[in-house]
Amino acid sequence: HVQLVESGGGSVQPGESLTLSCVASSHIFDVCGMSWYRQAPGKGRELVGRMSVDGATTYVDSVKGRLTISQDNAKDKGYLQMNSLKTEDTAVYSCAALGGRWSCNYYGQGTQVTVS
């Protein structure tokens, strides 16, 4: 059973930065893509960006140039670097291990990010 645990959330002011971490219980990102989602109060879950198994990244337009997804070489930790944060970035952020040749479908519980 794969577990994903996020950390690094908190409260910041607009323009500040945060780095979220996603720690997996195995080297899951060696075979699964990694996605970051967010859910703002009263809204549905939104895909922020993803990194494929081969390292290619894509982002939703609203975060391009401000948020960056990365992983460590051991493929068991992922990161979401968030710069120039805006109030509309306030949400619960969660990581997921999805797709890949194992048809992965694992989600973390999320970490709160508040920008105000």
Side-chain angles (χ1 to χ4, degrees), residues 6 20 34-40 44-50 69 80 91-98 105-108 110-111:
E6 302 92 339
L20 306 183
M34 180 179 68
S35 297
W36 283 94
Y37 289 86
R38 66 185 179 186
Q39 186 162 16
R45 188 173 63 185
E46 176 188 33
L47 175 64
V48 173
R50 61 163 55 103
I69 295 171
L80 180 64
V92 174
Y93 286 72
S94 59
C95 66
L98 301 171
N105 189 26
Y106 307 105
Y107 290 83
T111 184

Side-chain angles (χ1 to χ4, degrees), residues 25-37:
S25 56
S26 67
H27 304 285
I28 194 67
F29 300 125
D30 206 20
V31 295
C32 306
M34 180 179 68
S35 297
W36 283 94
Y37 289 86

Side-chain angles (χ1 to χ4, degrees), residues 3 5 24 30 42 54-55 61 65 68 96 98:
Q3 289 185 314
V5 179
D30 206 20
D54 62 3
D61 285 346
T68 304
L98 301 171

Side-chain angles (χ1 to χ4, degrees), residues 4-11 18 20-22 35-49 63 67 80 82 85-96 107-115:
L4 301 173
V5 179
E6 302 92 339
S7 63
S11 296
L18 276 176
L20 306 183
S21 298
C22 173
S35 297
W36 283 94
Y37 289 86
R38 66 185 179 186
Q39 186 162 16
K43 296 187 177 181
R45 188 173 63 185
E46 176 188 33
L47 175 64
V48 173
V63 307
L67 273 60
L80 180 64
M82 304 190 294
L85 283 164
K86 304 176 181 180
T87 55
E88 52 264 43
D89 294 319
T90 294
V92 174
Y93 286 72
S94 59
C95 66
Y107 290 83
Q109 292 298 308
T111 184
Q112 176 71 47
V113 172
T114 302
V115 186

Side-chain angles (χ1 to χ4, degrees), residues 56-72:
T57 54
T58 57
Y59 302 92
V60 66
D61 285 346
S62 60
V63 307
K64 282 181 180 177
R66 300 189 300 117
L67 273 60
T68 304
I69 295 171
S70 62
Q71 293 176 355
D72 71 341

